[in-house]
Short mmCIF file of all heavy atoms in Angstrom, two decimals:
data_model
loop_
_atom_site.label_atom_id
_atom_site.label_comp_id
_atom_site.label_asym_id
_atom_site.label_seq_id
_atom_site.Cartn_x
_atom_site.Cartn_y
_atom_site.Cartn_z
N LEU A 59 -3.26 -10.25 11.32
CA LEU A 59 -4.32 -10.34 10.30
C LEU A 59 -5.48 -11.22 10.75
O LEU A 59 -6.47 -11.36 10.04
CB LEU A 59 -3.75 -10.89 8.99
CG LEU A 59 -2.63 -10.11 8.32
CD1 LEU A 59 -2.21 -10.80 7.03
CD2 LEU A 59 -3.08 -8.68 8.01
N LYS A 60 -5.31 -11.84 11.92
CA LYS A 60 -6.33 -12.75 12.48
C LYS A 60 -6.59 -13.97 11.59
O LYS A 60 -7.72 -14.32 11.29
CB LYS A 60 -7.62 -11.98 12.80
CG LYS A 60 -7.36 -10.85 13.79
CD LYS A 60 -8.45 -9.82 13.81
CE LYS A 60 -8.05 -8.57 14.57
NZ LYS A 60 -7.05 -7.72 13.87
N CYS A 61 -5.48 -14.58 11.16
CA CYS A 61 -5.60 -15.80 10.34
C CYS A 61 -4.67 -16.87 10.92
O CYS A 61 -4.09 -16.69 11.99
CB CYS A 61 -5.24 -15.50 8.89
SG CYS A 61 -3.53 -15.00 8.67
N GLN A 62 -4.52 -17.98 10.22
CA GLN A 62 -3.63 -19.05 10.65
C GLN A 62 -2.21 -18.79 10.14
O GLN A 62 -2.04 -18.25 9.05
CB GLN A 62 -4.11 -20.39 10.07
CG GLN A 62 -5.52 -20.76 10.46
CD GLN A 62 -5.63 -21.10 11.92
OE1 GLN A 62 -4.79 -21.83 12.46
NE2 GLN A 62 -6.63 -20.54 12.59
N ALA A 63 -1.22 -19.22 10.91
CA ALA A 63 0.17 -18.98 10.52
C ALA A 63 0.50 -19.62 9.17
O ALA A 63 1.23 -19.04 8.37
CB ALA A 63 1.12 -19.47 11.60
N HIS A 64 -0.05 -20.80 8.92
CA HIS A 64 0.30 -21.47 7.65
C HIS A 64 -0.37 -20.82 6.44
O HIS A 64 -0.20 -21.27 5.32
CB HIS A 64 -0.03 -22.97 7.73
CG HIS A 64 -1.49 -23.25 7.90
ND1 HIS A 64 -2.04 -23.58 9.12
CD2 HIS A 64 -2.51 -23.22 7.02
CE1 HIS A 64 -3.35 -23.75 8.97
NE2 HIS A 64 -3.66 -23.54 7.71
N GLU A 65 -1.13 -19.76 6.66
CA GLU A 65 -1.72 -19.02 5.55
C GLU A 65 -0.87 -17.80 5.16
O GLU A 65 -1.24 -17.04 4.26
CB GLU A 65 -3.14 -18.57 5.92
CG GLU A 65 -4.09 -19.75 6.13
CD GLU A 65 -5.48 -19.32 6.59
OE1 GLU A 65 -5.59 -18.55 7.56
OE2 GLU A 65 -6.47 -19.74 5.97
N ILE A 66 0.27 -17.62 5.84
CA ILE A 66 1.16 -16.49 5.56
C ILE A 66 2.39 -16.98 4.79
O ILE A 66 3.07 -17.92 5.21
CB ILE A 66 1.64 -15.82 6.88
CG1 ILE A 66 0.43 -15.28 7.66
CG2 ILE A 66 2.65 -14.71 6.60
CD1 ILE A 66 -0.39 -14.23 6.93
N PHE A 67 2.67 -16.33 3.66
CA PHE A 67 3.82 -16.69 2.82
C PHE A 67 4.68 -15.45 2.64
O PHE A 67 4.20 -14.40 2.22
CB PHE A 67 3.32 -17.21 1.46
CG PHE A 67 2.52 -18.48 1.60
CD1 PHE A 67 1.16 -18.43 1.90
CD2 PHE A 67 3.13 -19.73 1.49
CE1 PHE A 67 0.42 -19.59 2.07
CE2 PHE A 67 2.40 -20.89 1.67
CZ PHE A 67 1.03 -20.83 1.95
N PHE A 68 5.98 -15.58 2.97
CA PHE A 68 6.87 -14.44 2.86
C PHE A 68 7.36 -14.27 1.43
O PHE A 68 7.63 -15.26 0.73
CB PHE A 68 8.04 -14.57 3.83
CG PHE A 68 7.60 -14.49 5.27
CD1 PHE A 68 7.66 -15.59 6.10
CD2 PHE A 68 7.07 -13.30 5.76
CE1 PHE A 68 7.22 -15.51 7.42
CE2 PHE A 68 6.64 -13.21 7.08
CZ PHE A 68 6.70 -14.32 7.91
N THR A 69 7.46 -13.02 1.00
CA THR A 69 7.90 -12.68 -0.35
C THR A 69 9.00 -11.62 -0.26
O THR A 69 9.40 -11.24 0.84
CB THR A 69 6.74 -12.10 -1.19
OG1 THR A 69 6.33 -10.86 -0.59
CG2 THR A 69 5.55 -13.06 -1.22
N SER A 70 9.43 -11.11 -1.42
CA SER A 70 10.50 -10.12 -1.41
C SER A 70 9.98 -8.68 -1.35
O SER A 70 10.75 -7.75 -1.15
CB SER A 70 11.36 -10.28 -2.66
OG SER A 70 10.61 -9.93 -3.80
N CYS A 71 8.68 -8.48 -1.54
CA CYS A 71 8.12 -7.12 -1.50
C CYS A 71 6.63 -7.15 -1.80
O CYS A 71 6.08 -8.19 -2.19
CB CYS A 71 8.83 -6.19 -2.50
SG CYS A 71 8.73 -6.74 -4.21
N GLY A 72 6.01 -5.99 -1.66
CA GLY A 72 4.59 -5.88 -1.99
C GLY A 72 4.34 -6.14 -3.47
O GLY A 72 3.33 -6.73 -3.86
N THR A 73 5.26 -5.70 -4.29
CA THR A 73 5.14 -5.90 -5.73
C THR A 73 5.08 -7.39 -6.06
O THR A 73 4.23 -7.84 -6.84
CB THR A 73 6.34 -5.24 -6.45
OG1 THR A 73 6.28 -3.83 -6.20
CG2 THR A 73 6.30 -5.51 -7.94
N GLU A 74 5.96 -8.17 -5.43
CA GLU A 74 5.94 -9.61 -5.68
C GLU A 74 4.63 -10.23 -5.19
O GLU A 74 4.05 -11.08 -5.88
CB GLU A 74 7.13 -10.32 -5.01
CG GLU A 74 7.16 -11.80 -5.37
CD GLU A 74 8.14 -12.63 -4.55
OE1 GLU A 74 9.23 -12.13 -4.22
OE2 GLU A 74 7.80 -13.78 -4.23
N SER A 75 4.18 -9.83 -4.02
CA SER A 75 2.93 -10.38 -3.49
C SER A 75 1.78 -10.13 -4.47
O SER A 75 0.97 -11.02 -4.73
CB SER A 75 2.61 -9.74 -2.13
OG SER A 75 3.62 -10.05 -1.19
N ASN A 76 1.71 -8.91 -5.01
CA ASN A 76 0.64 -8.59 -5.96
C ASN A 76 0.78 -9.40 -7.25
O ASN A 76 -0.20 -9.93 -7.77
CB ASN A 76 0.66 -7.09 -6.30
CG ASN A 76 0.09 -6.24 -5.16
OD1 ASN A 76 -0.64 -6.74 -4.31
ND2 ASN A 76 0.42 -4.97 -5.16
N ASN A 77 1.99 -9.49 -7.78
CA ASN A 77 2.23 -10.27 -9.01
C ASN A 77 1.82 -11.72 -8.80
O ASN A 77 1.16 -12.33 -9.64
CB ASN A 77 3.71 -10.23 -9.39
CG ASN A 77 4.04 -9.06 -10.29
OD1 ASN A 77 4.11 -9.18 -11.51
ND2 ASN A 77 4.19 -7.88 -9.71
N TRP A 78 2.22 -12.26 -7.65
CA TRP A 78 1.94 -13.66 -7.35
C TRP A 78 0.43 -13.91 -7.24
O TRP A 78 -0.11 -14.83 -7.87
CB TRP A 78 2.65 -14.07 -6.05
CG TRP A 78 2.45 -15.50 -5.65
CD1 TRP A 78 1.95 -16.50 -6.43
CD2 TRP A 78 2.73 -16.06 -4.37
NE1 TRP A 78 1.91 -17.67 -5.70
CE2 TRP A 78 2.38 -17.43 -4.44
CE3 TRP A 78 3.26 -15.55 -3.18
CZ2 TRP A 78 2.53 -18.29 -3.34
CZ3 TRP A 78 3.41 -16.41 -2.10
CH2 TRP A 78 3.06 -17.76 -2.19
N ALA A 79 -0.24 -13.07 -6.45
CA ALA A 79 -1.68 -13.27 -6.24
C ALA A 79 -2.41 -13.28 -7.58
O ALA A 79 -3.22 -14.17 -7.86
CB ALA A 79 -2.23 -12.17 -5.34
N ILE A 80 -2.10 -12.32 -8.42
CA ILE A 80 -2.87 -12.14 -9.66
C ILE A 80 -2.51 -13.20 -10.71
O ILE A 80 -3.38 -13.89 -11.25
CB ILE A 80 -2.66 -10.71 -10.18
CG1 ILE A 80 -3.35 -9.74 -9.21
CG2 ILE A 80 -3.22 -10.54 -11.59
CD1 ILE A 80 -2.94 -8.32 -9.37
#
Side-chain angles (χ1 to χ4, degrees):
L59 300 180
K60 301 162 192 72
C61 64
Q62 301 292 314
H64 64 259
E65 296 176 309
I66 299 300
F67 296 84
F68 293 112
T69 65
S70 68
C71 59
T73 297
E74 184 191 323
S75 298
N76 285 340
N77 271 262
W78 181 15
I80 291 165

